[in-house]
Amino acid sequence: MAPPAPEEAVSTRLLRAKVRARGGRIGRRRREAPVPVPRVADKLMVITEHGERDQIAVLEGRELVQHFVTRSGARSMVGNVYLGKVQNVLPGMEAAFVDIGRGRNAVLYAGEVNYAPEDLEGGQPRIERALRPGQSVLVQVTKDPMGGKGARLTAQISMPGRYLVLVPGSDVWGLSRRLPDAERRRLKAIARKIKPEGHGLIVRTAAEGASEEAIAADLERLLRTWSEIEGRAKRAKAPALLYEEPELTVRVVRDLFTDEEFRELVTDSPRVYENVTEYLREVAPDLAEKVRLHQGRLPVFEEFHITEQIHKALDRKVWLPSGGYIVIERTEAMTVIDVNTGKHTGGKNLEETVTQTNIEAAREIARQLRLRDIGGIIIIDFIDMLLEQNKRKVVEALKEALALDKTRSQVFDISPLGLLEVTRKRVSGGLLESFSETCPTCEGRGILVKYEIS
């Protein structure tokens, strides 16, 4: 099939907006059946305070699977709502640069703009019709500034709560795919009953088991917050901060800590203990009793062997239980992962040995992507396999392991060259960026160039 003509190459979001404005509907693209998500019900969340940083670890059994850290002197902007001022509009890039009062201008792409019905008439919506320099625009940060790039913005605001996400001025409606079928039916009935007029609503995984009263109270908090944002927007002069997301610790507890998955939350910081218990008493009182202040002889990260696992997660090479290993290399454009048999020589034949190593590597790679919070394009160079059925086993093993990851990802098939492509949503810098800085001598290249020619 020939590629669409330029005037027909409209983003899905813009196309849907255009059809909705005309009162119609558009069919959804068919998606692959989601991989069943195994329920892990024995997680532990551990939080410590180290100088100006809070560090949060999530363990499954004794294994570290997620790690969050506040970077010294830097606070994430993701989720913050600003009244921005459009600096310039670039039709050729289908983007606008917006001053939000945080140094470098942020970028707002055409697919994230709220178009008026008149902007959608007569062909493809154009960003220059909706925005002009000097105009004030209500925006939310979806991605922190990274490297030389400014923050990423959307004009389609969403307000996350404990059980719900409120989408003001939208007709969005949905429930988390991670919810069991019976619970989905119960929550769908509750959501339809309490859904506010003129706003969209998404039910989060944390709503599992929550009462209708608790969910309705969460919605009331979100509606009050949105009302306050609207009031500030009317009085403020752009650029201005209208709403700031809670600190990282409260945000992680809000988004992850559930009764069904976590057995306990442990911290050795009295400040963190007070903040978390105060938040949970307000939104989920039954969970407050699962929070414990650690008073042991060892620091809490040492008690649960978390520090040594973080050190290993900063290495390039990761050993597999069989004796094989993977090497993880970060570049400007992508992350490249190489799989090697190493010391693994078991198996009846080479094909079996290689397949076993690749499957083991696929599961470990999924864990490392979560733990290191690696996003963007990931290329995996698996060891060459001859049989197509073995290639499918490796791909399925990776998909099953990534199903545990709440960050959206997409896995493609293994190419003829033995390479597998993965994309994973990138929101902010990963583990390596949090604990490192660019070498001032080689400027991150890892080599020193010598100019002498002998």
Side-chain angles (χ1 to χ4, degrees), residues 150-310:
R152 182 82 62 85
L153 303 176
T154 181
Q156 296 157 14
I157 312 296
S158 59
M159 307 298 301
R162 171 69 181 170
Y163 305 119
L164 304 169
V165 177
L166 178 70
V167 190
S170 170
D171 59 357
V172 168
W173 164 261
L175 292 91
S176 167
R177 292 186 176 190
R178 293 173 174 268
L179 292 165
D181 289 342
E183 189 66 359
R184 284 175 65 88
R185 289 191 290 271
R186 182 185 79 88
L187 292 171
K188 186 175 183 179
I190 293 174
R192 287 191 183 280
K193 181 178 177 181
I194 67 173
K195 182 180 180 296
E197 188 70 28
H199 297 309
L201 208 60
I202 298 171
V203 181
R204 310 188 73 176
T205 308
E208 183 177 358
S211 66
E212 181 177 339
E213 293 75 19
I215 294 171
D218 194 44
L219 177 59
E220 285 301 315
R221 282 190 292 270
L222 293 173
L223 289 170
R224 281 199 305 270
T225 301
W226 175 242
S227 179
E228 291 168 2
I229 290 172
E230 288 185 306
R232 294 187 191 118
K234 292 175 181 177
R235 299 188 299 270
K237 181 179 178 181
L241 173 65
L242 304 179
Y243 167 79
E244 187 171 24
E245 273 279 89
E247 64 171 323
L248 176 72
T249 302
V250 172
R251 198 162 68 243
V252 171
V253 170
R254 178 193 69 192
D255 294 344
L256 298 184
F257 191 61
T258 62
D259 189 42
E260 290 74 21
E261 293 188 2
F262 284 84
R263 70 178 188 269
E264 194 176 30
L265 186 156
V266 184
T267 178
D268 56 4
S269 165
R271 178 188 64 83
V272 170
Y273 177 81
E274 289 298 324
N275 288 349
V276 170
T277 51
E278 181 182 347
Y279 169 73
L280 288 176
R281 287 192 193 105
E282 180 185 357
V283 300
D286 54 317
L287 283 176
E289 63 187 29
K290 287 194 171 188
V291 182
R292 174 169 66 86
L293 182 62
H294 174 76
Q295 295 175 322
R297 183 173 58 86
L298 293 173
V300 69
F301 266 40
E302 297 289 345
E303 181 79 22
F304 291 99
H305 308 285
I306 295 170
T307 302
E308 62 182 272
Q309 294 190 62
I310 293 174

Side-chain angles (χ1 to χ4, degrees), residues 79-110:
N80 292 356
V81 178
Y82 294 87
L83 183 65
K85 186 174 184 179
V86 178
Q87 293 299 296
N88 52 346
V89 181
L90 304 177
M93 291 182 60
E94 295 189 8
F97 288 96
V98 181
D99 179 11
I100 58 173
R102 293 291 299 269
R104 186 186 297 118
N105 288 338
V107 63
L108 175 64
Y109 286 105

